[in-house]
Amino acid sequence: MKQREKTVSILDRLSWSVQPPRGLVKGNYYREEARFSSCFNGDLGHLGILEAVTDGDRIVMVEFNEQCSPTYYIRRFQNADKRLSDYGFFQASKERTATTGVVLVNGITSVEAQMVSQNRLTGEFDLVAGASNSIRRSMLPLAEKIAERLDQPSGQLYYGLSKELEPGVTGRLQLVIENSRIIRFFYDEIFADSPEEIENPELKPYYRQSKYHCPEYISTSGAGFNSLSDLLSQSVLTHQELLGLKDLPYTEDENRAPEWDRYLLLANEIQKEMLQDGIRITQAE
C-alpha cells in the first residue's frame, strides 16, 4: 500500500524547476479544468487545470497545474498544489521516484516546452520516463479541448508578468480581462530552484516552492502570505482597480506589509502595458 511505501533519500539525484516564464506574456487566454482519477465512491479526484495563451497564430504559454484530491490519503496534501507546494519533495522521498528518476513537475514542464516550441497542443509528445498519469489522464485531454477552440478568439485577454524582486525570489502577477473587466487575478512570489540562489538565509528552506503554496512559509506580516494574496484578489475583482489597494489590511505607513509594494512594482508595469494596448478597465461604481 502506498501509505506504507518505503522512504528513501534521493533528493540529491533529482532536479526540477518551478520557475515561471520570465518577463511579460500577453495574448488570447484559453482555460480548461476537470476532475480526474477518482479512486472510490465520494472521492472527487484530483483537479487538473490547463491554461494556454496565444499571440496571433503562435502559442506563447502553456501551463498545467494540479491540485490533490480533497480526500488525499495524506492530510497535508489534501487540496494542495502539486507544482508549487512541497509535494515534489514528498515524491522525492518515495521508492517509485527512485526508480523513475523524475517527479511530476519534470513531466509537466517537458510537455509544456514541447507544446510551445512546436506550436501545437495535440499529437504525440515525448514523455519523460515514468511520466505521471496526470499528464495522460488530465493534461493531454484538456489540451485537446482547448485545441478545438484555438482557431477562434477566446474573448479573454491574459497579462502575466514575472520579475525578480530580490535575489532568489520572483514575483508573478497574472490577470485575465473580459469585456473590460478583470475576471481572474493572482499574485504570488516564487522561490529559486536551489538554496544557493536565495540571498536571504531565512528563505533558503523554501526553495522550489512559492509563498502562496508553501505550507511551511512564515510571513513577516500579521497574516499569511496566502491570506494577503486572497484579499488582494478579492479587492481587485471587486473594485476593478490594480493600484488602489482598497479594503486591505496593513496599508498604513507605520504597519505596511512589504507584499503590497512588491506587488505594486509588477502591477504598475502591467497597467502601463494595458494602457499602451488600449485596454481600459471599467471600474466598479
Side-chain angles (χ1 to χ4, degrees):
M1 295 177 64
K2 56 186 174 183
Q3 293 95 323
R4 300 291 182 260
E5 187 175 2
K6 182 180 177 181
T7 297
V8 297
S9 179
I10 55 169
L11 186 58
D12 59 342
R13 291 158 46 191
L14 301 174
S15 177
W16 69 92
S17 177
V18 300
Q19 299 310 301
R22 282 297 180 95
L24 178 69
V25 177
K26 63 181 182 179
N28 281 296
Y29 177 76
Y30 300 86
R31 178 189 177 101
E32 288 286 344
E33 63 179 67
R35 295 275 180 182
F36 70 103
S37 292
S38 176
C39 296
F40 54 85
N41 186 27
D43 176 27
L44 295 176
H46 305 304
L47 177 64
I49 303 168
L50 185 65
E51 300 168 291
V53 178
T54 64
D55 181 8
D57 60 357
R58 295 294 305 175
I59 298 171
V60 295
M61 188 188 85
V62 176
E63 186 165 303
F64 177 74
N65 285 281
E66 182 185 336
Q67 294 177 8
C68 286
S69 164
T71 58
Y72 197 71
Y73 74 103
I74 297 177
R75 183 172 183 177
R76 176 185 182 87
F77 294 116
Q78 290 173 358
N79 293 313
D81 183 282
K82 288 188 175 183
R83 186 165 184 154
L84 292 171
S85 70
D86 58 344
Y87 185 82
F89 293 92
F90 161 69
Q91 284 191 305
S93 70
K94 298 303 174 184
E95 276 187 304
R96 54 193 149 156
T97 305
T99 301
T100 63
V102 298
V103 297
L104 172 61
V105 181
N106 292 126
I108 291 172
T109 54
S110 173
V111 176
E112 288 171 348
Q114 292 175 67
M115 288 179 170
V116 172
S117 65
Q118 298 173 25
N119 198 40
R120 61 185 176 90
L121 296 179
T122 59
E124 295 295 321
F125 296 99
D126 292 330
L127 304 184
V128 298
S132 169
N133 285 333
S134 299
I135 296 173
R136 300 182 187 276
R137 296 181 182 177
S138 182
M139 183 180 183
L140 296 180
L142 293 176
E144 290 182 359
K145 290 183 178 181
I146 291 178
E148 295 173 355
R149 301 189 279 119
L150 278 185
D151 60 346
Q152 297 293 329
S154 66
Q156 298 179 346
L157 292 175
Y158 173 93
Y159 283 84
L161 177 63
S162 297
K163 187 174 185 179
E164 187 173 68
L165 301 172
E166 63 179 275
V169 182
T170 295
R172 188 183 193 190
L173 176 58
Q174 302 176 87
L175 58 95
V176 177
I177 301 165
E178 183 178 31
N179 295 327
S180 300
R181 304 227 0 131
I182 301 170
I183 62 168
R184 292 189 181 277
F185 178 95
F186 185 55
Y187 176 69
D188 200 356
E189 295 181 13
I190 300 166
F191 296 108
D193 291 334
S194 68
E196 294 74 21
E197 299 173 80
I198 303 173
E199 183 175 76
N200 186 337
E202 293 185 359
L203 301 180
K204 289 179 181 293
Y206 310 126
Y207 74 103
R208 286 189 197 147
Q209 300 171 77
S210 82
K211 288 185 179 181
Y212 188 94
H213 292 290
C214 175
E216 302 292 343
Y217 176 69
I218 300 174
S219 173
T220 57
S221 299
F225 179 91
N226 59 319
S227 299
L228 293 177
S229 178
D230 287 343
L231 289 170
L232 176 61
S233 296
Q234 180 180 331
S235 172
V236 171
L237 293 174
T238 298
H239 299 289
Q240 296 293 305
E241 292 185 35
L242 285 179
L243 309 178
L245 298 182
K246 290 187 175 181
D247 302 328
L248 293 173
Y250 308 115
T251 56
E252 307 83 3
D253 289 342
E254 67 277 8
N255 195 30
R256 188 175 180 86
E259 286 84 355
W260 301 145
D261 294 316
R262 293 155 74 91
Y263 154 73
L264 288 173
L265 286 173
L266 279 68
N268 272 294
E269 286 194 34
I270 282 190
Q271 178 141 302
K272 289 179 182 177
E273 189 73 20
M274 288 165 51
L275 291 175
Q276 290 177 2
D277 294 340
I279 304 299
R280 285 171 171 75
I281 302 302
T282 302
Q283 295 186 347
E285 297 181 357

